[in-house]
Amino acid sequence: MFKIIIPKAPFDFKKILKRMSSRNNNNVLINEENLSLQRIVTIDSQPTLLYVTFQGDIDHPLLKVHIPNNTSRIQQEKLFQLVRHMFSTECDLLKCYDSLSGSPYLKPLINQFYGLRLVLEPSLFEAIAKLIIYQQINTTFAAELVNRLMTLTAEEVEVEGNCLPIFPSPESIAKLSYNQLRRISFNQRKAEYVIDFAQNIVEGKINLDHFWKLTDEEIIQILSNVRGIGKWTIECTLLFGMGRLNILPAGDIALRKVIKNVWGLKQTPSEKDVEKLGHNWSPYKSYASYYLWCSAKLF
């Protein structure tokens, strides 16, 4: 049994899968040849297989969502909503492209990544926890730390002979000790930040469900008061956790270096320089940032 979701065109699932496979996380099964993806997500606190296959083409896209056995109608609808969220199916990329194509530097990137969507994490907790892990270390090692964390919590489901780990819940991480994370190569501060953040969720000090009703500025104000979460993590939470469209992480050194190369600048631009440059990218600063990162095989 399955249900069809028709994303807004253009929608290039092949590029999306390629972007996801570059993260090297072991909780996703990707078949780029058959254009399919499988991973375990959590629906109503229950592990659920998300199995999506692509049909059609970039301008006539179709996602087939396979429905697991013994799922209620409500759970099925939550699964469909999750697919729409993760793959940004409702974003009008044509409007985005029309807005950004006035830049002679961004237009070639639009042609190169035509149809590539923001790929969002299935839960806001997973997005923020991963971003804390990714802070100030290279992406390959960060992905390995994420994999080790999932192995440590030992929650997994067998799918077609493969055991897919589940990203741990706030409750699972909150029960860990700092030393347990240090033994899998987390440094002391990163171990503290991840576990303390999970404990804040469990204790009700932070209500992530409420974030969806808040403005960017309100979310920034809340997360700025959380130890271990800085400006970059908040901006990337809005971008890769919530899919907010007008986010420019101007302080990101990798993004600034990409802009230096794309614009042919003699020096790496400052954060203020990037903010000034990105003023004209509104209201789609997120896609400008994303495509620039992708051009350098970042994120």
Side-chain angles (χ1 to χ4, degrees):
M1 184 177 176
F2 60 86
K3 179 176 179 177
I4 299 300
I5 292 177
I6 300 177
K8 289 185 178 180
F11 184 92
D12 193 329
F13 201 57
K14 186 174 183 179
K15 289 191 180 82
I16 290 171
L17 293 182
K18 185 174 182 180
R19 176 263 185 272
M20 295 184 73
S21 64
S22 69
R23 299 308 292 268
N24 298 318
N25 286 339
N26 63 9
N27 66 332
V28 182
L29 284 178
I30 291 175
N31 189 321
E32 293 188 47
E33 182 177 349
N34 294 330
L35 296 179
S36 67
L37 173 144
Q38 297 180 74
R39 67 163 294 172
I40 304 299
V41 296
T42 302
I43 304 289
D44 293 338
S45 301
Q46 297 296 319
T48 303
L49 175 63
L50 172 64
Y51 181 18
V52 179
T53 55
F54 180 77
Q55 297 178 353
D57 55 40
I58 295 175
D59 295 314
H60 304 89
L62 184 152
L63 288 176
K64 180 187 289 187
V65 183
H66 300 257
I67 301 172
N69 295 328
N70 303 317
T71 54
S72 68
R73 286 183 177 271
I74 294 176
Q75 290 172 325
Q76 290 175 23
E77 185 54 40
K78 288 182 178 180
L79 186 64
F80 304 146
Q81 290 176 357
L82 192 59
V83 171
R84 296 185 186 101
H85 164 77
M86 288 178 62
F87 300 115
S88 305
T89 62
E90 303 308 303
C91 178
D92 191 336
L93 277 188
L94 292 180
K95 284 186 178 180
C96 170
Y97 294 161
D98 184 61
S99 176
L100 297 177
S101 60
S103 166
Y105 301 100
L106 294 179
K107 191 170 183 178
L109 299 184
I110 292 173
N111 295 332
Q112 181 179 355
F113 298 111
Y114 186 81
L116 175 63
R117 302 297 177 117
L118 284 171
V119 182
L120 311 182
E121 296 292 350
S123 78
L124 198 46
F125 172 74
E126 181 173 341
I128 297 174
K130 284 182 176 178
L131 286 166
I132 293 173
I133 293 171
Y134 271 75
Q135 289 175 162
Q136 298 181 336
I137 58 176
N138 73 70
T139 57
T140 301
F141 181 54
E144 178 58 27
L145 289 182
V146 171
N147 291 336
R148 292 178 187 179
L149 175 62
M150 290 189 288
T151 300
L152 178 64
T153 54
E155 298 178 68
E156 58 186 24
V157 174
E158 184 175 336
V159 178
E160 296 181 354
N162 297 286
C163 288
L164 291 183
I166 306 168
F167 191 84
S169 65
E171 292 77 11
S172 295
I173 294 180
K175 293 176 183 177
L176 299 174
S177 69
Y178 301 148
N179 284 338
Q180 283 178 287
L181 291 191
R182 290 188 65 179
R183 284 196 290 269
I184 59 172
S185 300
F186 280 67
N187 64 37
Q188 179 65 27
R189 285 193 176 183
K190 199 173 290 288
E192 292 175 5
Y193 296 160
V194 171
I195 292 175
D196 291 357
F197 174 65
Q199 290 175 343
N200 281 333
I201 301 300
V202 172
E203 294 168 4
K205 296 178 180 178
I206 300 175
N207 183 352
L208 294 179
D209 291 337
H210 184 57
F211 277 28
W212 301 99
K213 302 175 183 179
L214 303 180
T215 64
D216 295 347
E217 291 71 24
E218 290 169 331
I219 294 169
I220 290 169
Q221 184 175 4
I222 292 171
L223 290 181
S224 293
N225 294 316
V226 179
R227 180 171 176 259
I229 296 182
K231 184 178 180 182
W232 179 88
T233 303
I234 297 171
E235 290 170 335
C236 289
T237 293
L238 292 167
L239 209 165
F240 295 110
M242 304 186 74
R244 298 289 172 94
L245 293 177
N246 206 31
I247 305 300
L248 174 61
D252 182 83
I253 186 61
L255 181 61
R256 287 160 53 198
K257 287 180 178 179
V258 173
I259 289 173
K260 173 181 178 292
N261 294 333
V262 172
W263 266 255
L265 304 176
K266 292 182 179 180
Q267 296 181 335
T268 301
S270 67
E271 181 174 352
K272 289 185 178 180
D273 291 335
V274 174
E275 288 174 349
K276 184 177 180 180
L277 183 66
H279 179 75
N280 293 328
W281 303 344
S282 184
Y284 296 103
K285 294 178 183 178
S286 295
Y287 270 94
S289 305
Y290 184 44
Y291 282 10
L292 283 163
W293 270 319
C294 289
S295 71
K297 298 182 179 179
L298 300 168
F299 273 89

